[in-house]
Amino acid sequence: MVEKVIPIRIDEGKGLAPSIPEQLVAPHAHTQDARGRTLRDLRLSVTDRCNFRCTYCMPKEVFDQNYPYLAHQELLSFEEITRLGSIFASLGVEKIRLTGGEPLLRKNLEVLIGMLAKLHTPEGKPLDLTLTTNGSILRKKAAALKAAGLQRLTVSLDGLNDETFKKMNDVDFPVADVLDGIQAVQEVGFENIKVNMVVKKGFNDHEIIAMAKHFKSTGIILRFIEFMDVGSSNGWNMAEVLPSKDVLAQINEVFPIEPIEANYSGEVAQRWRYLDGSGEIGVISSVTQTFCHECTRARISTDGQMYQCLFANQGYDFKTMMRSGRSDLEIANAIMNTWAARDNHYSEIRGSHTANPSTGSRKVEMSYIGG
Ligand code: SAM
């Protein structure tokens, strides 16, 4: 049962003011955080709104008509997002993932994608530009996303059975429309499509085999995500986490699999392939096998706060900094400073105390910071 008294959005006020060092240095890609991790990825939330009310992310009881969503002027504009993207690229970021809320709800998102697609690394390589979506309006958007220069995408889908899926999304949204969205992106030529399934024990774990069977041999990579204690409103409970090792054991019994090498260091999913050569799956085990030690990800919320971790409770206010006339060099130095001070490793120190919103510190909601 989700409590209604949840402290809702972010930090009730502004984030911390990022500090700008007196001695400015040229932007470079070697800044390490306090644990020796280098900045490589950026997750950008483009809206805090969503048309789903997944019980594990934006439960209806909290995200109702009284929820204080950000007003339009509080959101970063496309120009501000692109400016930040370009500064992050000068600091070694090679991959940008757009997320939310539901990113496709942001009006004219394809225009933003077109702007971000022009960014490149200091070596002149285009950034790896990708998006995570619930797939609900993908059919409508597929061609525009492709034409704008989006390279890849990940679609979230928590089951193939309508009753189960509707129970998860809590807005009566049918599976068929998400599958149709996936088909639409295949039709316009997207490759490397991934599907993310959050597994909640006792809710949708009976769908694991059906999902594996459905996406096997399609070229689509299905990834199973452990239910996480993000935010403070999803009523997280360790008893509802199905460890990835159990997911893998279930699949292996029906479709034998073996582990394969990561594509790159810091990849969040552990990869497995079907022995019959019909493709691969992944597991994201942020509860039972933490990967903080290789996390190279910074996050920018919908209103321009930089978060050092998905489980943080305080952001750094880069929107105010941008709107107060600071130069790109000053902003780059402030980002380097913020990154250098990063010591977060929440998943490694998670316990029932830290994960409980009434006893641990309050964490930012995922819909605002971006999944
Ligand atoms: N609306 C988009 C979507 O559905 O993909 C993007 C935002 S959503 C927050 C990003 C991803 O985070 C989705 O795959 C979602 O299932 C996952 N997610 C949300 N809450 C989660 C939780 N408590 N534990 C694990 N994954 C979660």
Side-chain angles (χ1 to χ4, degrees):
M1 184 54 194
V2 175
E3 264 189 74
K4 182 74 197 329
V5 277
I6 302 297
I8 308 198
R9 207 176 66 203
I10 40 172
D11 0 67
E12 275 138 20
K14 290 229 167 85
L16 300 168
S19 71
I20 306 174
E22 266 179 32
Q23 205 76 49
L24 298 180
V25 299
H28 62 78
H30 318 297
T31 310
Q32 293 197 336
D33 72 6
R35 294 178 172 264
R37 301 165 294 191
T38 313
L39 173 61
R40 286 283 170 266
D41 309 52
L42 180 62
R43 297 226 169 166
L44 270 166
S45 174
V46 293
T47 176
D48 59 341
R49 291 164 198 257
C50 189
N51 53 343
F52 282 13
R53 285 293 173 272
C54 299
T55 49
Y56 55 77
C57 187
M58 294 181 73
K60 239 183 195 153
E61 298 84 345
V62 175
F63 294 87
D64 59 11
Q65 71 278 16
N66 300 319
Y67 185 82
Y69 292 103
L70 294 165
H72 190 71
Q73 69 278 11
E74 294 179 82
L75 312 189
L76 290 188
S77 67
F78 287 176
E79 288 71 22
E80 287 169 331
I81 293 174
T82 308
R83 183 179 176 202
L84 271 183
S86 158
I87 297 172
F88 271 99
S90 74
L91 298 175
V93 161
E94 294 162 352
K95 172 170 159 189
I96 294 184
R97 177 177 295 277
L98 298 180
T99 175
E102 172 46 42
L104 297 186
L105 293 184
R106 179 81 187 248
K107 210 168 156 206
N108 301 324
L109 185 77
E110 55 280 10
V111 173
L112 173 65
I113 289 173
M115 292 161 76
L116 294 172
K118 296 199 182 88
L119 300 182
H120 46 77
T121 65
E123 297 76 41
K125 254 182 36 193
L127 301 187
D128 180 12
L129 186 56
T130 178
L131 170 96
T132 301
T133 173
N134 62 23
S136 57
I137 45 175
L138 254 191
R139 164 67 64 190
K140 209 166 109 198
K141 290 278 188 176
L145 294 175
K146 181 77 182 153
L150 185 70
Q151 289 162 7
R152 302 185 292 118
L153 42 79
T154 300
V155 182
S156 304
L157 179 63
D158 296 332
L160 285 175
N161 169 289
D162 250 337
E163 198 189 328
T164 308
F165 184 54
K166 288 179 177 181
K167 227 193 266 170
M168 297 290 274
N169 67 53
D170 217 9
V171 291
D172 219 27
F173 200 87
V175 173
D177 289 12
V178 179
L179 293 178
D180 183 54
I182 295 174
Q183 194 184 327
V185 286
Q186 287 178 305
E187 284 166 11
V188 300
F190 277 102
E191 289 171 1
N192 298 323
I193 300 166
K194 296 194 177 97
V195 168
N196 278 353
M197 172 181 181
V198 174
V199 182
K200 228 180 138 182
K201 199 181 196 165
F203 289 77
N204 65 339
D205 48 335
H206 58 284
E207 288 277 291
I208 290 171
I209 299 300
M211 286 284 283
K213 189 167 172 203
H214 183 88
F215 289 106
K216 213 170 162 275
S217 306
T218 61
I220 292 174
I221 301 176
L222 174 62
R223 304 187 315 173
F224 300 92
I225 309 181
E226 287 178 350
F227 171 41
M228 294 184 286
D229 52 322
V230 290
S232 304
S233 61
N234 69 2
W236 185 84
N237 177 345
M238 187 66 200
E240 289 171 353
V241 177
L242 184 72
S244 293
K245 69 171 178 30
D246 296 358
V247 172
L248 292 168
Q250 271 196 39
I251 293 176
N252 188 47
E253 224 166 82
V254 187
F255 306 118
I257 47 176
E258 67 179 6
I260 47 177
E261 287 286 303
N263 286 310
Y264 53 88
S265 139
E267 189 171 28
V268 292
Q270 290 168 330
R271 302 170 65 208
W272 293 71
R273 68 172 205 98
Y274 293 111
L275 291 187
D276 65 5
S278 59
E280 70 173 85
I281 56 168
V283 286
I284 302 178
S285 324
S286 57
V287 178
T288 63
Q289 281 169 275
T290 61
F291 38 81
C292 302
H293 59 284
E294 47 184 19
C295 177
T296 55
R297 222 159 296 123
R299 294 169 182 273
I300 296 286
S301 69
T302 315
D303 62 347
Q305 317 274 316
M306 175 172 164
Y307 283 84
Q308 296 163 320
C309 173
L310 176 58
F311 300 96
N313 52 22
Q314 185 74 75
Y316 293 81
D317 184 6
F318 279 85
K319 179 178 69 180
T320 300
M321 192 172 225
M322 282 194 288
R323 293 187 182 174
S324 58
R326 294 296 189 173
S327 68
D328 285 6
L329 184 61
E330 287 173 314
I331 293 171
N333 274 265
I335 293 173
M336 287 193 275
N337 247 7
T338 307
W339 187 261
R342 175 183 189 249
D343 192 27
N344 309 52
H345 58 130
Y346 173 83
S347 294
E348 288 174 353
I349 54 168
R350 172 191 287 114
S352 52
H353 175 82
T354 43
N356 181 343
S358 60
T359 51
S361 69
R362 191 158 57 91
K363 301 189 286 310
V364 64
E365 293 299 332
M366 194 168 185
S367 49
Y368 157 79
I369 194 179

mmCIF file of all heavy atoms in Angstrom, residues 52-80:
data_model
loop_
_atom_site.group_PDB
_atom_site.id
_atom_site.type_symbol
_atom_site.label_atom_id
_atom_site.label_comp_id
_atom_site.label_asym_id
_atom_site.label_seq_id
_atom_site.Cartn_x
_atom_site.Cartn_y
_atom_site.Cartn_z
ATOM 1 N N PHE A 52 1.682 6.971 -18.158
ATOM 2 C CA PHE A 52 1.500 5.727 -17.413
ATOM 3 C C PHE A 52 1.592 6.045 -15.916
ATOM 4 O O PHE A 52 2.172 7.062 -15.524
ATOM 5 C CB PHE A 52 2.608 4.719 -17.748
ATOM 6 C CG PHE A 52 2.442 3.993 -19.068
ATOM 7 C CD1 PHE A 52 1.521 4.426 -20.010
ATOM 8 C CD2 PHE A 52 3.215 2.881 -19.365
ATOM 9 C CE1 PHE A 52 1.367 3.761 -21.233
ATOM 10 C CE2 PHE A 52 3.077 2.210 -20.575
ATOM 11 C CZ PHE A 52 2.155 2.650 -21.508
ATOM 12 N N ARG A 53 1.068 5.172 -15.116
ATOM 13 C CA ARG A 53 1.193 5.314 -13.661
ATOM 14 C C ARG A 53 1.740 4.010 -13.093
ATOM 15 O O ARG A 53 1.139 3.400 -12.199
ATOM 16 C CB ARG A 53 -0.190 5.638 -13.034
ATOM 17 C CG ARG A 53 -0.626 7.070 -13.264
ATOM 18 C CD ARG A 53 0.262 8.075 -12.528
ATOM 19 N NE ARG A 53 -0.032 9.448 -12.871
ATOM 20 C CZ ARG A 53 0.513 10.109 -13.897
ATOM 21 N NH1 ARG A 53 1.393 9.507 -14.688
ATOM 22 N NH2 ARG A 53 0.201 11.349 -14.134
ATOM 23 N N CYS A 54 2.888 3.576 -13.645
ATOM 24 C CA CYS A 54 3.457 2.307 -13.194
ATOM 25 C C CYS A 54 3.588 2.334 -11.678
ATOM 26 O O CYS A 54 4.098 3.304 -11.104
ATOM 27 C CB CYS A 54 4.804 2.062 -13.859
ATOM 28 S SG CYS A 54 4.657 1.977 -15.654
ATOM 29 N N THR A 55 3.140 1.278 -11.075
ATOM 30 C CA THR A 55 3.046 1.257 -9.614
ATOM 31 C C THR A 55 4.420 1.396 -8.965
ATOM 32 O O THR A 55 4.537 1.897 -7.855
ATOM 33 C CB THR A 55 2.396 -0.054 -9.161
ATOM 34 O OG1 THR A 55 3.080 -1.123 -9.829
ATOM 35 C CG2 THR A 55 0.931 -0.090 -9.539
ATOM 36 N N TYR A 56 5.468 0.965 -9.660
ATOM 37 C CA TYR A 56 6.817 1.011 -9.095
ATOM 38 C C TYR A 56 7.531 2.323 -9.386
ATOM 39 O O TYR A 56 8.666 2.520 -8.976
ATOM 40 C CB TYR A 56 7.655 -0.167 -9.630
ATOM 41 C CG TYR A 56 7.696 -0.238 -11.145
ATOM 42 C CD1 TYR A 56 8.497 0.622 -11.874
ATOM 43 C CD2 TYR A 56 6.908 -1.147 -11.837
ATOM 44 C CE1 TYR A 56 8.518 0.578 -13.250
ATOM 45 C CE2 TYR A 56 6.930 -1.207 -13.213
ATOM 46 C CZ TYR A 56 7.743 -0.343 -13.918
ATOM 47 O OH TYR A 56 7.754 -0.375 -15.288
ATOM 48 N N CYS A 57 6.892 3.216 -10.127
ATOM 49 C CA CYS A 57 7.578 4.438 -10.539
ATOM 50 C C CYS A 57 6.770 5.702 -10.241
ATOM 51 O O CYS A 57 7.221 6.590 -9.546
ATOM 52 C CB CYS A 57 7.890 4.348 -12.037
ATOM 53 S SG CYS A 57 8.911 5.683 -12.669
ATOM 54 N N MET A 58 5.541 5.784 -10.780
ATOM 55 C CA MET A 58 4.700 6.955 -10.551
ATOM 56 C C MET A 58 3.314 6.507 -10.054
ATOM 57 O O MET A 58 2.314 6.669 -10.758
ATOM 58 C CB MET A 58 4.560 7.777 -11.838
ATOM 59 C CG MET A 58 5.859 8.391 -12.296
ATOM 60 S SD MET A 58 5.687 9.392 -13.794
ATOM 61 C CE MET A 58 4.830 10.845 -13.183
ATOM 62 N N PRO A 59 3.265 5.940 -8.856
ATOM 63 C CA PRO A 59 1.982 5.408 -8.385
ATOM 64 C C PRO A 59 0.893 6.483 -8.372
ATOM 65 O O PRO A 59 1.134 7.625 -7.984
ATOM 66 C CB PRO A 59 2.306 4.915 -6.965
ATOM 67 C CG PRO A 59 3.611 5.521 -6.608
ATOM 68 C CD PRO A 59 4.339 5.785 -7.876
ATOM 69 N N LYS A 60 -0.245 6.067 -8.851
ATOM 70 C CA LYS A 60 -1.434 6.929 -8.971
ATOM 71 C C LYS A 60 -1.762 7.728 -7.721
ATOM 72 O O LYS A 60 -2.163 8.878 -7.778
ATOM 73 C CB LYS A 60 -2.622 5.990 -9.212
ATOM 74 C CG LYS A 60 -3.364 6.218 -10.457
ATOM 75 C CD LYS A 60 -4.534 5.254 -10.495
ATOM 76 C CE LYS A 60 -5.059 5.234 -11.919
ATOM 77 N NZ LYS A 60 -5.696 3.990 -12.258
ATOM 78 N N GLU A 61 -1.596 7.071 -6.573
ATOM 79 C CA GLU A 61 -1.984 7.704 -5.303
ATOM 80 C C GLU A 61 -1.129 8.941 -5.041
ATOM 81 O O GLU A 61 -1.553 9.849 -4.331
ATOM 82 C CB GLU A 61 -1.788 6.736 -4.131
ATOM 83 C CG GLU A 61 -2.619 5.478 -4.181
ATOM 84 C CD GLU A 61 -1.999 4.369 -5.044
ATOM 85 O OE1 GLU A 61 -1.068 4.667 -5.833
ATOM 86 O OE2 GLU A 61 -2.458 3.222 -4.948
ATOM 87 N N VAL A 62 0.067 8.990 -5.573
ATOM 88 C CA VAL A 62 0.961 10.128 -5.346
ATOM 89 C C VAL A 62 0.923 11.079 -6.541
ATOM 90 O O VAL A 62 0.798 12.295 -6.391
ATOM 91 C CB VAL A 62 2.409 9.628 -5.114
ATOM 92 C CG1 VAL A 62 3.369 10.805 -5.001
ATOM 93 C CG2 VAL A 62 2.463 8.751 -3.869
ATOM 94 N N PHE A 63 1.016 10.508 -7.737
ATOM 95 C CA PHE A 63 1.084 11.335 -8.944
ATOM 96 C C PHE A 63 -0.330 11.537 -9.495
ATOM 97 O O PHE A 63 -0.688 11.053 -10.552
ATOM 98 C CB PHE A 63 2.020 10.683 -9.970
ATOM 99 C CG PHE A 63 3.449 10.642 -9.494
ATOM 100 C CD1 PHE A 63 3.917 9.589 -8.714
ATOM 101 C CD2 PHE A 63 4.329 11.682 -9.794
ATOM 102 C CE1 PHE A 63 5.228 9.558 -8.250
ATOM 103 C CE2 PHE A 63 5.640 11.656 -9.336
ATOM 104 C CZ PHE A 63 6.092 10.600 -8.559
ATOM 105 N N ASP A 64 -1.123 12.263 -8.719
ATOM 106 C CA ASP A 64 -2.505 12.505 -9.120
ATOM 107 C C ASP A 64 -2.648 13.932 -9.641
ATOM 108 O O ASP A 64 -1.657 14.607 -9.899
ATOM 109 C CB ASP A 64 -3.457 12.227 -7.943
ATOM 110 C CG ASP A 64 -3.137 13.103 -6.737
ATOM 111 O OD1 ASP A 64 -2.338 14.063 -6.874
ATOM 112 O OD2 ASP A 64 -3.683 12.827 -5.648
ATOM 113 N N GLN A 65 -3.881 14.408 -9.776
ATOM 114 C CA GLN A 65 -4.057 15.738 -10.388
ATOM 115 C C GLN A 65 -3.520 16.865 -9.509
ATOM 116 O O GLN A 65 -3.351 17.985 -9.966
ATOM 117 C CB GLN A 65 -5.522 15.981 -10.823
ATOM 118 C CG GLN A 65 -6.530 16.174 -9.723
ATOM 119 C CD GLN A 65 -7.009 14.821 -9.138
ATOM 120 O OE1 GLN A 65 -6.402 13.776 -9.328
ATOM 121 N NE2 GLN A 65 -8.106 14.865 -8.398
ATOM 122 N N ASN A 66 -3.230 16.572 -8.249
ATOM 123 C CA ASN A 66 -2.687 17.619 -7.367
ATOM 124 C C ASN A 66 -1.164 17.629 -7.327
ATOM 125 O O ASN A 66 -0.561 18.433 -6.623
ATOM 126 C CB ASN A 66 -3.199 17.416 -5.934
ATOM 127 C CG ASN A 66 -4.698 17.491 -5.882
ATOM 128 O OD1 ASN A 66 -5.289 18.348 -6.541
ATOM 129 N ND2 ASN A 66 -5.330 16.585 -5.151
ATOM 130 N N TYR A 67 -0.560 16.734 -8.046
ATOM 131 C CA TYR A 67 0.908 16.641 -8.007
ATOM 132 C C TYR A 67 1.521 17.897 -8.640
ATOM 133 O O TYR A 67 1.107 18.323 -9.721
ATOM 134 C CB TYR A 67 1.377 15.385 -8.763
ATOM 135 C CG TYR A 67 2.869 15.200 -8.641
ATOM 136 C CD1 TYR A 67 3.413 14.604 -7.512
ATOM 137 C CD2 TYR A 67 3.722 15.664 -9.629
ATOM 138 C CE1 TYR A 67 4.776 14.456 -7.385
ATOM 139 C CE2 TYR A 67 5.097 15.517 -9.502
ATOM 140 C CZ TYR A 67 5.613 14.911 -8.382
ATOM 141 O OH TYR A 67 6.973 14.780 -8.252
ATOM 142 N N PRO A 68 2.526 18.487 -8.002
ATOM 143 C CA PRO A 68 3.090 19.733 -8.527
ATOM 144 C C PRO A 68 4.124 19.504 -9.638
ATOM 145 O O PRO A 68 5.325 19.655 -9.429
ATOM 146 C CB PRO A 68 3.754 20.353 -7.288
ATOM 147 C CG PRO A 68 4.137 19.179 -6.459
ATOM 148 C CD PRO A 68 3.121 18.098 -6.717
ATOM 149 N N TYR A 69 3.635 19.152 -10.806
ATOM 150 C CA TYR A 69 4.561 18.991 -11.940
ATOM 151 C C TYR A 69 5.208 20.330 -12.237
ATOM 152 O O TYR A 69 4.688 21.390 -11.905
ATOM 153 C CB TYR A 69 3.795 18.509 -13.185
ATOM 154 C CG TYR A 69 3.283 17.106 -13.034
ATOM 155 C CD1 TYR A 69 1.937 16.876 -12.765
ATOM 156 C CD2 TYR A 69 4.134 16.019 -13.135
ATOM 157 C CE1 TYR A 69 1.457 15.583 -12.603
ATOM 158 C CE2 TYR A 69 3.666 14.725 -12.979
ATOM 159 C CZ TYR A 69 2.327 14.518 -12.703
ATOM 160 O OH TYR A 69 1.866 13.250 -12.533
ATOM 161 N N LEU A 70 6.349 20.263 -12.898
ATOM 162 C CA LEU A 70 7.058 21.495 -13.239
ATOM 163 C C LEU A 70 6.250 22.311 -14.249
ATOM 164 O O LEU A 70 5.646 21.748 -15.163
ATOM 165 C CB LEU A 70 8.418 21.143 -13.851
ATOM 166 C CG LEU A 70 9.415 20.459 -12.909
ATOM 167 C CD1 LEU A 70 10.564 19.832 -13.695
ATOM 168 C CD2 LEU A 70 9.943 21.446 -11.879
ATOM 169 N N ALA A 71 6.302 23.617 -14.077
ATOM 170 C CA ALA A 71 5.653 24.496 -15.050
ATOM 171 C C ALA A 71 6.590 24.657 -16.250
ATOM 172 O O ALA A 71 7.807 24.446 -16.128
ATOM 173 C CB ALA A 71 5.401 25.858 -14.406
ATOM 174 N N HIS A 72 6.002 25.051 -17.390
ATOM 175 C CA HIS A 72 6.793 25.071 -18.619
ATOM 176 C C HIS A 72 8.072 25.904 -18.486
ATOM 177 O O HIS A 72 9.144 25.503 -18.940
ATOM 178 C CB HIS A 72 5.949 25.568 -19.796
ATOM 179 C CG HIS A 72 6.657 25.363 -21.098
ATOM 180 N ND1 HIS A 72 6.848 24.108 -21.652
ATOM 181 C CD2 HIS A 72 7.281 26.236 -21.915
ATOM 182 C CE1 HIS A 72 7.535 24.215 -22.758
ATOM 183 N NE2 HIS A 72 7.818 25.495 -22.954
ATOM 184 N N GLN A 73 7.963 27.062 -17.824
ATOM 185 C CA GLN A 73 9.160 27.926 -17.750
ATOM 186 C C GLN A 73 10.258 27.351 -16.851
ATOM 187 O O GLN A 73 11.405 27.801 -16.883
ATOM 188 C CB GLN A 73 8.807 29.371 -17.346
ATOM 189 C CG GLN A 73 8.330 29.565 -15.926
ATOM 190 C CD GLN A 73 6.840 29.243 -15.759
ATOM 191 O OE1 GLN A 73 6.185 28.690 -16.635
ATOM 192 N NE2 GLN A 73 6.299 29.590 -14.595
ATOM 193 N N GLU A 74 9.881 26.336 -16.063
ATOM 194 C CA GLU A 74 10.897 25.702 -15.206
ATOM 195 C C GLU A 74 11.715 24.666 -15.969
ATOM 196 O O GLU A 74 12.793 24.268 -15.543
ATOM 197 C CB GLU A 74 10.228 25.012 -14.022
ATOM 198 C CG GLU A 74 9.549 25.975 -13.051
ATOM 199 C CD GLU A 74 8.889 25.202 -11.918
ATOM 200 O OE1 GLU A 74 9.603 24.837 -10.963
ATOM 201 O OE2 GLU A 74 7.663 24.968 -11.995
ATOM 202 N N LEU A 75 11.193 24.198 -17.102
ATOM 203 C CA LEU A 75 11.909 23.177 -17.861
ATOM 204 C C LEU A 75 13.081 23.815 -18.588
ATOM 205 O O LEU A 75 13.005 24.966 -19.010
ATOM 206 C CB LEU A 75 11.021 22.551 -18.947
ATOM 207 C CG LEU A 75 9.626 22.074 -18.598
ATOM 208 C CD1 LEU A 75 9.041 21.309 -19.784
ATOM 209 C CD2 LEU A 75 9.631 21.210 -17.369
ATOM 210 N N LEU A 76 14.126 23.058 -18.788
ATOM 211 C CA LEU A 76 15.186 23.554 -19.665
ATOM 212 C C LEU A 76 14.613 23.642 -21.074
ATOM 213 O O LEU A 76 13.874 22.761 -21.508
ATOM 214 C CB LEU A 76 16.366 22.580 -19.682
ATOM 215 C CG LEU A 76 17.229 22.462 -18.426
ATOM 216 C CD1 LEU A 76 18.454 21.604 -18.735
ATOM 217 C CD2 LEU A 76 17.654 23.812 -17.876
ATOM 218 N N SER A 77 14.977 24.692 -21.793
ATOM 219 C CA SER A 77 14.559 24.802 -23.192
ATOM 220 C C SER A 77 15.441 23.879 -24.038
ATOM 221 O O SER A 77 16.486 23.389 -23.567
ATOM 222 C CB SER A 77 14.729 26.240 -23.674
ATOM 223 O OG SER A 77 16.115 26.544 -23.715
ATOM 224 N N PHE A 78 15.059 23.662 -25.281
ATOM 225 C CA PHE A 78 15.878 22.826 -26.164
ATOM 226 C C PHE A 78 17.279 23.430 -26.323
ATOM 227 O O PHE A 78 18.279 22.712 -26.377
ATOM 228 C CB PHE A 78 15.220 22.700 -27.548
ATOM 229 C CG PHE A 78 13.992 21.814 -27.557
ATOM 230 C CD1 PHE A 78 13.245 21.671 -28.725
ATOM 231 C CD2 PHE A 78 13.594 21.116 -26.418
ATOM 232 C CE1 PHE A 78 12.119 20.848 -28.744
ATOM 233 C CE2 PHE A 78 12.465 20.294 -26.431
ATOM 234 C CZ PHE A 78 11.728 20.182 -27.606
ATOM 235 N N GLU A 79 17.337 24.756 -26.386
ATOM 236 C CA GLU A 79 18.643 25.418 -26.550
ATOM 237 C C GLU A 79 19.498 25.171 -25.302
ATOM 238 O O GLU A 79 20.702 24.913 -25.402
ATOM 239 C CB GLU A 79 18.464 26.933 -26.765
ATOM 240 C CG GLU A 79 17.905 27.320 -28.127
ATOM 241 C CD GLU A 79 16.418 26.954 -28.291
ATOM 242 O OE1 GLU A 79 15.707 26.800 -27.271
ATOM 243 O OE2 GLU A 79 15.984 26.806 -29.458
ATOM 244 N N GLU A 80 18.863 25.259 -24.133
ATOM 245 C CA GLU A 80 19.627 25.037 -22.890
ATOM 246 C C GLU A 80 20.092 23.582 -22.794
ATOM 247 O O GLU A 80 21.224 23.314 -22.386
ATOM 248 C CB GLU A 80 18.761 25.406 -21.680
ATOM 249 C CG GLU A 80 18.581 26.915 -21.523
ATOM 250 C CD GLU A 80 17.516 27.287 -20.489
ATOM 251 O OE1 GLU A 80 16.557 26.508 -20.285
ATOM 252 O OE2 GLU A 80 17.629 28.379 -19.912
#
